[in-house]
Amino acid sequence: VQLQASGGGLIQTGGSLRLSCVASGSVSRGNAMAWYRQAPGKQREYLALQTDSATRDNTHYADSVKGRFTISRDNNRNTVFLQMTNLKPEDTGVYYCNAVVGGRHYWGQGTLVTVSS
């Protein structure tokens, strides 16, 4: 399994950004995929999860991003997205996508998001 994240960049407070993560290998629509971030000097933080994309109510969000971030998937392109709105300086960090396949966690290389005040 390989995950390739992209879409990060420098954005002003209040702006929006969409991250993408392309999955290759043994990732199917039945696998859970998630986004995490790691701010400078802090531990990696969970942000959003989408479980089996065939079921309803299959998304979950951390309180810190609920209402601002949206996780979605395009199964035809094996891609998971993170739409981020109303960005704040505290959203700055390296964003990682994650897939759980066969009980094992796989990570992408991360994409840097910097929110300027």
Side-chain angles (χ1 to χ4, degrees):
V1 174
Q2 290 188 326
L3 304 171
Q4 182 74 34
S6 62
L10 176 64
I11 190 81
Q12 289 188 332
T13 296
S16 298
L17 209 57
R18 189 176 81 156
L19 306 182
S20 302
C21 176
V22 179
S24 60
S26 305
V27 180
S28 70
R29 63 185 63 198
N31 296 123
M33 296 194 72
W35 285 94
Y36 290 72
R37 76 176 168 216
Q38 188 163 18
K42 294 188 177 181
Q43 290 187 332
R44 194 168 295 188
E45 170 192 17
Y46 158 79
L47 299 177
L49 166 73
Q50 186 176 52
T51 57
D52 184 346
S53 59
T55 61
R56 297 177 59 186
D57 299 326
N58 60 3
T59 58
H60 180 270
Y61 299 92
D63 288 343
S64 59
V65 303
K66 195 175 296 183
R68 298 189 300 123
F69 290 10
T70 303
I71 187 171
S72 62
R73 289 166 77 158
D74 181 342
N75 290 308
N76 291 329
R77 293 192 287 163
N78 248 7
T79 302
V80 62
F81 303 99
L82 186 68
Q83 178 68 49
M84 305 185 293
T85 62
N86 190 23
L87 284 162
K88 307 173 183 180
E90 52 263 42
D91 293 319
T92 293
V94 179
Y95 283 67
Y96 297 91
C97 59
N98 167 275
V100 181
V101 180
R104 179 178 172 180
H105 285 258
Y106 294 86
W107 297 91
Q109 85 290 358
T111 184
L112 176 63
V113 173
T114 303
V115 184
S116 63
S117 56

